């Protein structure tokens, strides 16, 4: 998988785009779906509008939230003097 990772992924420590209204990605989502994190009222309104207009649909499957939190933490700590232990 290393060959498929964008170079910027090794620099950026903001895996879930914390300053954004909406974060979107496939990590932690069921196959063929994207995982959406809504962080603001504006983001909520945008997602609700897209759902209402049929531009996007909502899955009934549960996303892997713990996986996304773990990946976000790992990326934030990458290059930090504080490293996560394997298996935590």
């Amino acid at each position: 998988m290393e060959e498929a990772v964008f170079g910027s992924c090794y620099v950026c420590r903001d895996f879930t785009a914390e300053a954004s209204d909406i974060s979107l990605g496939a990590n932690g989502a069921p196959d063929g779906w994207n995982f959406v994190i809504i962080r603001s009222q504006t983001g909520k309104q945008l997602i609700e509008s897209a759902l209402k207009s049929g531009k996007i649909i909502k899955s009934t499957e549960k996303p892997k939230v713990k996986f996304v939190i773990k990946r976000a933490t790992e990326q934030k700590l990458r290059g930090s003097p504080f490293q996560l232990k394997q298996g935590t």
Side-chain angles (χ1 to χ4, degrees):
M1 290 301 297
E2 288 293 317
E3 294 173 13
V5 176
F6 291 113
S8 60
C9 291
Y10 293 104
V11 178
C12 178
R13 288 177 174 67
D14 190 12
F15 179 73
T16 60
E18 291 178 21
S20 65
D21 294 307
I22 300 169
S23 299
L24 178 69
N27 281 300
D31 287 342
W33 291 87
N34 284 301
F35 188 96
V36 178
I37 301 171
I38 302 170
R39 290 203 167 84
S40 70
Q41 189 61 33
T42 300
K44 183 178 178 181
Q45 291 169 345
L46 289 167
I47 292 296
E48 286 174 351
S49 175
L51 285 166
K52 187 176 179 180
S53 70
K55 299 284 184 189
I56 62 173
I57 57 175
K58 184 176 179 179
S59 172
T60 57
E61 293 186 52
K62 297 264 185 195
K64 298 174 184 169
V65 176
K66 288 182 182 181
F67 172 80
V68 173
I69 291 169
K70 183 178 185 271
R71 285 283 290 126
T73 303
E74 288 171 349
Q75 192 153 344
K76 209 176 263 293
L77 293 174
R78 185 184 297 143
S80 165
F82 305 102
Q83 298 292 320
L84 289 178
K85 293 180 182 178
Q86 191 72 9
T88 58

